[in-house]
């Protein structure tokens, strides 16, 4: 019995994974086909990027502050008073490589991925997707490609922006609030912190952006069963994208080299 | 008789375990209005979506102007959709676009008209369905009947050869429903189109149909003029057109 259930769960998992890859592949093929839906693309750039700025600013600022706080405490307690300026590079590396990409990924999944699933799902159940087809617009080209491209571009940009805010948050807590020696803090940071650390975060963000958009669109395109179905699709898009982001993040951290020096 | 515009031959379609179409054969002639009747859930909408290529049959062939559309690639199907205008059940207007942009949608993709010409055609198409001054409204600001009219204006804007109507009068009050019937008749006269209508509204059927086909149990069980259908000896047809709860149709 349990074997049957497990079998069904696995079968369903691989079936859905197949659907996601197929949609991603279709979107990829469609990128180069004309016409390019420019108006939708610009609208999605605004939706994914500009409209996420406030959320990303807040999460990055407080993420940076609390990371600064814990690092300060760790040096203060375990290494001893006066060693806190050693925390600078740890804060910058930790934020750029891990915390900011994850926070941005999760926030965008919640804010934008869910909206994609809800909007496309509503279009699906009200036959607007069929209407697109009957009026000569390919649904994947019209709906999915602009969203995937916008996410691929905007999630890394949001992450880079979040890096700056978060690093400043960590700096503000240590230097401005706890009076850690500013010169030493900056010197230590510059000594160990590499451009590669930022790049790792941006590579992750690129992949997270792809996952968020493809999962959101996939859930929308496969939604069925009225308002309830759209609700389910919306929830599922956030859960699936968030879990995928956290799992992928670990493996990317493991695979990507820790330094290029 | 006119030449055959659309031909369905042995069309089968299942969803999971459920067999919806079990071998549909139907010839649709140029310039005629054929009404496909049948119970709710009998697969009428599914049949309509096969004709335009939104769905592909599991087995069988569909010919449009002699071309087998089941063999076409997605790209070719998109091009073929130029021949079709479709009025969806809930109108399926794009929520985020104004009425004018909805009507212009097919024109922008199916034709090479200039922006000025597009605006003229949009206005003319809306007037054809009896709407004026609604260009800048959004779909949620329209009543159900107006939505259907806009949906119809959008479907006819680029002069399709075939118009598909999915339950055009469902959900409308009798007066608005009849106004839609009049529109269907008028469009047929003005544009010389082939029309395929699916409905379970018998008043509407008798008013607009040149021929009637009944879909039952996944097949077309009877085709004929309204007079022939009225006098049909098939008890299933008689039960349906007279709207009786008792008879050979027990599933409802």
């Amino acid at each position: 019995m349990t074997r049957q259930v497990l079998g069904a769960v696995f079968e369903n998992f691989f079936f859905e994974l197949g659907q996601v890859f197929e949609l991603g592949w279709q979107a990829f093929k469609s990128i180069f086909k004309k016409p390019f839906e420019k108006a939708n693309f610009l609208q999605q750039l605004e939706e994914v990027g500009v409209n996420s700025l406030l959320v990303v600013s807040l999460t990055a600022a407080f993420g940076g502050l609390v990371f600064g706080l814990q690092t300060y405490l760790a040096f203060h307690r375990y290494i001893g008073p006066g060693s806190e300026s050693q925390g600078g590079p740890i804060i910058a590396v930790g934020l750029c490589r891990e915390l900011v990409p994850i926070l941005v990924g999760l926030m965008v999944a919640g804010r934008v991925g869910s909206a994609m699933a809800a909007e496309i799902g509503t279009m699906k159940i009200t036959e607007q997707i069929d209407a697109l087809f009957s009026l000569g617009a390919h649904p994947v080209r019209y709906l999915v490609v602009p969203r995937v491209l916008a996410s691929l571009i905007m999630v890394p940009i949001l992450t880079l922006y979040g890096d700056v805010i978060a690093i400043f948050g960590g700096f503000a807590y240590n230097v401005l609030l706890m009076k850690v020696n500013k010169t030493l803090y900056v010197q230590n940071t510059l000594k160990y912190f590499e451009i590669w650390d930022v790049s790792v975060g941006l590579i992750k963000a690129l992949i997270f952006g792809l996952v968020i958009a493809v999962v959101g669109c996939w859930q929308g395109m496969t939604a069925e069963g009225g308002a309830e179905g759209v609700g389910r699709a919306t929830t599922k898009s956030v859960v699936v994208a968030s879990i995928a982001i956290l799992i992928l993040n670990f493996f990317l951290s493991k695979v990507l080299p820790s330094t290029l020096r | 008789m006119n030449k055959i515009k659309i031909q369905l031959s042995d069309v089968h379609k299942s969803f999971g375990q459920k067999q919806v179409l079990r071998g549909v054969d139907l010839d649709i002639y140029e310039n005629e209005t054929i009404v496909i009747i049948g119970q709710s859930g009998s697969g009428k909408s599914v049949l309509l979506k096969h004709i335009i290529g939104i769905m592909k049959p599991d087995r069988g062939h569909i010919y449009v102007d002699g071309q087998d559309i089941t063999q076409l690639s997605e790209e070719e199907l998109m091009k073929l959709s130029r021949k079709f205008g479709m009025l969806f059940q809930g109108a399926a207007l794009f929520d985020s676009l104004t009425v004018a942009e909805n009507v212009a949608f097919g024109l922008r993709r199916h034709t090479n008209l200039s922006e000025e010409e597009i605006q003229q055609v949009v206005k003319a198409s809306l007037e054809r369905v009896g709407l004026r001054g609604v260009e800048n409204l959004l779909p949620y600001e329209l009543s159900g009947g107006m939505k259907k009219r806009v949906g119809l204006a959008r479907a006819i804007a680029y002069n399709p050869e075939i118009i598909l109507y999915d339950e055009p009068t469902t959900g409308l009050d009798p007066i608005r429903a009849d106004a839609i019937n009049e529109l269907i008749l008028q469009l047929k006269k003005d544009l010389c189109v082939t029309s395929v209508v699916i409905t379970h509204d018998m008043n509407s059927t008798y008013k607009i149909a040149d021929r009637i086909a009944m879909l039952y149990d996944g097949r077309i069980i009877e085709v004929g003029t309204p007079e022939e259908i009225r006098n049909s000896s098939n008890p299933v047809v008689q039960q349906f057109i007279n709207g009786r709860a008792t008879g050979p149709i027990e599933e409802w």
Side-chain angles (χ1 to χ4, degrees):
Chain A
M1 184 63 193
T2 36
R3 249 179 90 180
Q4 272 179 338
V5 173
L6 268 178
V9 168
F10 267 104
E11 196 180 322
N12 189 44
F13 173 77
F14 284 109
F15 172 72
E16 294 194 333
L17 197 65
Q19 282 187 325
V20 173
F21 273 97
E22 198 193 327
L23 183 63
W25 173 239
Q26 271 191 28
F28 176 75
K29 280 192 301 182
S30 302
I31 289 176
F32 309 104
K33 283 185 189 154
K34 286 188 175 174
F36 181 67
E37 302 287 349
K38 196 175 154 204
N40 285 6
F41 174 61
L42 292 177
Q43 195 199 339
Q44 288 302 319
L45 279 182
E46 185 184 349
E47 183 55 36
V48 180
V50 182
N51 295 347
S52 299
L53 274 178
L54 182 65
V55 178
V56 168
S57 304
L58 284 169
T59 43
F62 282 91
L65 279 170
V66 83
F67 207 61
L69 179 153
Q70 292 297 351
T71 314
Y72 174 88
L73 276 182
F75 274 97
H76 190 76
R77 276 167 58 184
Y78 305 131
I79 313 286
S83 67
E84 296 91 347
S85 66
Q86 309 275 348
I90 297 179
I91 293 169
V93 169
L95 287 172
C96 291
R97 279 180 170 257
E98 305 290 343
L99 198 59
V100 174
I102 287 187
L103 283 177
V104 171
L106 295 181
M107 291 323 266
V108 174
R111 219 194 69 80
V112 182
S114 58
M116 290 178 184
E119 191 182 352
I120 297 179
T122 304
M123 291 184 75
K124 168 87 189 305
I125 61 164
T126 55
E127 296 188 302
Q128 289 178 53
I129 307 263
D130 290 340
L132 281 176
F133 182 90
S134 80
L135 294 164
H138 195 286
V140 170
R141 212 173 302 156
Y142 186 80
L143 295 171
V144 181
V145 169
R147 284 169 172 76
V148 170
L149 281 182
S151 264
L152 279 174
I153 294 170
M154 278 305 180
V155 177
I157 292 179
L158 286 170
T159 302
L160 191 62
Y161 166 78
D163 286 346
V164 175
I165 304 245
I167 288 176
F168 181 75
F171 172 85
Y173 184 82
N174 280 276
V175 175
L176 304 182
L177 210 63
M178 304 310 287
K179 305 298 178 206
V180 172
N181 186 310
K182 180 180 160 191
T183 317
L184 280 177
Y185 185 94
V186 173
Q187 248 177 24
N188 279 329
T189 304
L190 291 178
K191 190 171 164 193
Y192 294 108
F193 183 59
E194 302 173 40
I195 294 295
W196 176 242
D197 295 316
V198 179
S199 311
V200 166
L202 298 186
I203 294 169
K204 286 179 171 182
L206 192 75
I207 293 167
F208 297 165
L210 180 69
V211 168
I212 292 165
V214 174
V215 167
C217 293
W218 159 65
Q219 275 300 310
M221 297 288 257
T222 54
E224 51 190 19
E228 201 191 335
V230 174
R232 259 199 315 269
T234 309
T235 309
K236 195 168 168 183
S237 74
V238 179
V239 173
V240 170
S242 302
I243 291 174
I245 285 173
L246 291 169
I247 294 176
L248 282 171
N249 180 62
F250 170 77
F251 287 103
L252 286 167
S253 293
K254 190 74 190 149
V255 168
L256 292 167
S258 60
T259 176
L260 288 188
R261 275 186 193 161
Chain B
M1 209 79 186
N2 286 332
K3 76 170 178 112
I4 294 176
K5 187 78 177 166
I6 303 164
Q7 187 176 33
L8 297 143
S9 147
D10 198 33
V11 173
H12 286 72
K13 183 73 176 180
S14 313
F15 296 99
Q17 296 294 316
K18 198 166 176 254
Q19 279 193 305
V20 180
L21 304 179
R22 309 161 177 246
V24 172
D25 291 300
L26 183 65
D27 294 342
I28 297 168
Y29 298 98
E30 199 161 37
N31 300 342
E32 77 167 337
T33 297
I34 188 161
V35 178
I36 301 172
I37 56 174
Q39 286 171 283
S40 305
S42 60
K44 300 189 300 286
S45 287
V46 170
L47 185 61
L48 210 58
K49 283 178 187 174
H50 276 83
I51 295 177
I52 190 173
I54 291 173
M55 288 183 182
K56 268 195 192 293
D58 299 334
R59 212 171 89 204
H61 299 277
I62 298 152
Y63 302 90
V64 175
D65 286 329
Q67 189 180 24
D68 186 353
I69 68 163
T70 59
Q71 306 298 319
L72 296 182
S73 70
E74 245 182 7
E75 290 302 312
E76 290 167 317
L77 277 174
M78 303 288 312
K79 270 192 207 115
L80 186 84
S81 69
R82 166 80 177 82
K83 285 188 185 178
F84 292 97
M86 181 155 178
L87 175 61
F88 290 87
Q89 204 171 338
L93 300 180
F94 303 124
D95 301 317
S96 56
L97 302 180
T98 62
V99 166
E101 276 310 306
N102 263 287
V103 179
F105 199 93
L107 287 168
R108 293 193 197 287
R109 283 164 178 80
H110 282 319
T111 68
N112 295 318
L113 297 178
S114 70
E115 190 54 39
E116 204 176 316
E117 289 166 316
I118 286 177
Q119 293 312 326
Q120 279 170 4
V121 177
V122 166
K123 200 155 177 276
S125 302
L126 284 169
E127 272 173 16
R128 199 183 273 284
V129 298
L131 292 173
R132 266 169 223 272
V134 296
E135 281 88 343
N136 296 320
L137 296 181
L138 283 165
Y140 75 88
E141 297 173 287
L142 305 174
S143 70
M146 277 163 91
K147 273 186 199 163
K148 289 227 168 172
R149 282 165 186 251
V150 175
L152 194 48
R154 183 176 73 177
I156 60 168
Y158 48 93
N159 273 326
E161 298 165 28
I162 302 159
I163 306 182
L164 308 175
Y165 299 89
D166 189 351
E167 311 246 355
T169 56
T170 303
L172 299 181
D173 66 57
I175 295 167
R176 290 210 166 82
D178 198 54
I180 294 277
N181 289 336
E182 294 287 347
L183 264 176
I184 295 173
L185 287 170
Q186 193 66 40
L187 287 175
K188 183 196 169 191
K189 214 166 84 186
D190 295 351
L191 309 175
C192 292
V193 289
T194 307
S195 309
V196 185
V197 185
I198 59 175
T199 187
H200 47 237
D201 174 351
M202 288 314 296
N203 286 331
S204 168
T205 303
Y206 288 133
K207 179 150 189 177
I208 59 181
D210 295 323
R211 287 195 310 148
I212 300 172
M214 176 150 177
L215 182 67
Y216 178 69
D217 202 23
R219 291 183 191 88
I220 298 289
I221 54 164
E222 189 121 355
V223 194
T225 61
E227 205 49 41
E228 285 165 353
I229 291 291
R230 237 189 278 247
N231 299 323
S232 167
S233 58
N234 189 327
V236 173
V237 176
Q238 281 302 330
Q239 186 191 349
F240 186 85
I241 63 174
N242 292 309
R244 285 193 292 261
T246 51
I249 305 176
E250 282 171 343
E251 233 181 88
W252 41 275

